[in-house]
Amino acid sequence: MLNNKTILITGGTGSFGKCFTKYVLKHYEPKKIIIYSRDEFKQFIMANEFKEYESRLRFFIGDVRDKERMKRALEGVDYVVHAAALKQVPACEYNPNEAIKTNIHGAQNVIDAALDSNVKKVVALSTDKAVNPVNLYGGTKLVSDKLFVAANAYTGTKDINFSIVRYGNVAGSRGSVIPFFHNILKNGGTELPITDYRMTRFWISLTQGVELVIKALEEATGGETFISKIPSFKITDLAKAMLPDCTMPEVGIRPGEKLHEIMITTEDSLTTYEYDKHFIVYPQMVWNNKQQPDLSGKKVKEGFSYSSDNNAQWLSVEEIRELLKTVDLEK
Ligand SMILES: NC(=O)c1ccc[n+]([C@@H]2O[C@H](COP(=O)([O-])OP(=O)(O)OC[C@H]3O[C@@H](n4cnc5c(N)ncnc54)[C@H](OP(=O)(O)O)[C@@H]3O)[C@@H](O)[C@H]2O)c1
């Protein structure tokens, strides 16, 4: 489905963008992948890393805040993956207007530019933090999600649709708990601080996130939010897996942090379907008849919710230890 297609990734030099690019170049024969981002140095480094694929890669300097540039970049593009974002919780709290400009205005620019060109599909990345948000990063991503769902109302007779993929913290991603603990242990520490003993998280790898985006590109009809079914773990079990005899002082929840990652709320349950490996939340408002639920799945019961503390699938300490071997902690 991605063969012979031109794909543009906003934020293509980020962790997701690089993993997506590598995956697509390995498994498909795209005509071209365009990396759209601001920093020329990150693009230079990525171009060197991907030298063997240079005939299929293009690097486009541009800001999602710049609608004209976005429009130019989308000429001849079939599919767009929107990954560019400001995503550090404290940075967004301190610079709220910057978060709004990139995460909200940027999202609207991607939508407008896609509607004004011949793009067929747009998949935007969301986060658990957009669900019942408690910080501005989550708040801006919630608005972004709403914009992408509503964009389907403006497609008219055009063959284009917009959908969303949502996941939580990627195992080992910068600023997350695994590299934080790893750093303490690397420097000889034996004390792993836990913000709250009750805290749980989902475990997802970047490759799983990429695979779900490709599924959305293949199957979305418009307005869906795709969510992977993945296991949960307790943060205390993660600490035990990283150092069995560690001490674990409880240090208190950080500003903007949640006890559990929520992917689907009870309110969403009214329009959520369950499939073998994922859930799809369909939009509550339907603007045209292009959007159809995939009826091969089962509608969840009213009142259902999906969060890292009410998951049916849990990782043991031993399983976490095994999974940690797959996480690149030296990057
Ligand atoms: N990492 C996670 O654990 C996680 C979890 C859930 C969801 N997500 C979502 O996944 C997406 C990608 O995350 P990531 O981890 O790959 O982020 P990342 O590594 O921080 O990369 C962000 C990318 O966006 C680009 N960017 C930032 N501002 C931009 C702007 N104004 N215009 C154009 N490009 C811009 C950055 O490049 P330049 O700075 O050079 O422009 C970079 O390529 C985000 O939407 C995030 O909300 C991430």
Side-chain angles (χ1 to χ4, degrees):
M1 189 251 181
L2 302 182
N3 291 345
N4 210 26
K5 293 289 190 292
T6 297
I7 307 157
L8 179 140
I9 318 165
T10 69
T13 55
S15 337
F16 171 87
K18 284 212 255 185
C19 186
F20 178 88
T21 304
K22 204 173 279 171
Y23 191 100
V24 171
L25 289 168
K26 205 169 144 199
H27 294 89
Y28 300 89
E29 300 279 328
K31 189 162 154 195
K32 216 171 15 176
I33 298 184
I34 303 170
I35 305 299
Y36 185 95
S37 64
R38 297 163 309 169
D39 178 9
E40 59 182 351
F41 186 61
K42 277 189 228 138
Q43 293 198 353
F44 170 75
I45 306 267
M46 184 169 172
N48 279 332
E49 274 176 38
F50 285 77
K51 199 122 200 83
E52 62 181 300
Y53 297 109
E54 68 184 345
S55 62
R56 290 178 199 264
L57 271 184
R58 297 287 181 279
F59 288 89
F60 216 102
I61 297 281
D63 195 316
V64 291
R65 299 178 185 187
D66 181 346
K67 196 185 328 193
E68 289 310 309
R69 186 67 176 156
M70 201 67 247
K71 270 191 193 164
R72 174 57 53 88
L74 290 190
E75 275 170 29
V77 168
D78 299 295
Y79 301 143
V80 176
V81 178
H82 177 48
L86 279 180
K87 57 164 226 205
Q88 296 295 328
V89 170
C92 292
E93 292 300 304
Y94 190 65
N95 307 280
N97 206 29
E98 300 306 305
I100 289 166
K101 283 186 203 157
T102 297
N103 297 355
I104 299 180
H105 298 168
Q108 188 60 49
N109 288 339
V110 171
I111 292 165
D112 287 339
L115 283 170
D116 289 344
S117 60
N118 287 318
V119 168
K120 302 277 180 290
K121 298 215 178 203
V122 181
V123 175
L125 294 188
S126 176
T127 156
D128 64 291
K129 297 183 180 68
V131 180
N132 295 347
V134 296
N135 52 54
L136 189 81
Y137 166 54
T140 57
K141 292 293 277 190
L142 166 69
V143 177
S144 166
D145 289 0
K146 295 282 181 199
L147 291 172
F148 278 100
V149 171
N152 292 287
Y154 300 93
T155 55
T157 54
K158 289 193 104 175
D159 177 21
I160 178 172
N161 70 57
F162 300 83
S163 61
I164 294 165
V165 163
R166 177 180 296 149
Y167 52 80
N169 257 348
V170 170
S173 64
R174 273 179 303 167
S176 69
V177 61
I178 297 176
F180 174 66
F181 283 173
H182 176 72
N183 218 24
I184 296 176
L185 299 178
K186 205 167 76 179
N187 292 315
T190 55
E191 192 176 280
L192 298 179
I194 309 286
T195 54
D196 190 299
Y197 290 148
R198 296 166 295 172
M199 190 164 288
T200 63
R201 288 292 178 262
F202 284 108
W203 186 291
I204 189 165
S205 69
L206 211 37
T207 307
Q208 284 171 297
V210 166
E211 286 169 347
L212 194 62
V213 168
I214 291 172
K215 188 172 190 58
L217 282 172
E218 284 171 350
E219 296 179 9
T221 59
E224 302 96 327
T225 302
F226 290 77
I227 293 152
S228 279
K229 282 187 186 170
I230 40 176
S232 290
F233 63 96
K234 294 184 183 141
I235 298 292
T236 49
D237 284 346
L238 172 71
K240 287 180 207 159
M242 293 185 80
L243 184 68
D245 297 323
C246 65
T247 47
M248 294 185 270
E250 192 173 32
V251 295
I253 201 156
R254 290 177 303 165
E257 193 179 35
K258 281 183 179 172
L259 272 186
H260 311 293
E261 286 180 331
I262 308 170
M263 297 290 173
I264 302 172
T265 62
T266 49
E267 290 77 13
D268 286 336
S269 68
L270 299 174
T271 52
T272 298
Y273 281 69
E274 177 171 7
Y275 303 88
D276 256 8
K277 294 188 173 154
H278 64 287
F279 296 97
I280 295 181
V281 181
Y282 289 93
Q284 300 208 357
M285 294 173 113
V286 178
W287 295 279
N288 55 42
N289 60 7
K290 288 185 197 166
Q291 292 90 42
Q292 299 295 339
D294 169 1
L295 296 175
S296 67
K298 200 174 78 200
K299 199 158 184 243
V300 302
K301 287 206 175 99
E302 192 179 330
F304 168 87
S305 67
Y306 186 53
S307 71
S308 58
D309 62 326
N310 73 5
N311 197 352
Q313 241 186 306
W314 284 86
L315 293 173
S316 66
V317 174
E318 196 43 54
E319 286 168 327
I320 299 173
R321 198 169 291 132
E322 281 307 304
L323 280 172
L324 282 167
K325 292 179 187 160
T326 64
V327 176
D328 178 9
L329 287 165
E330 300 307 328
K331 60 183 184 297

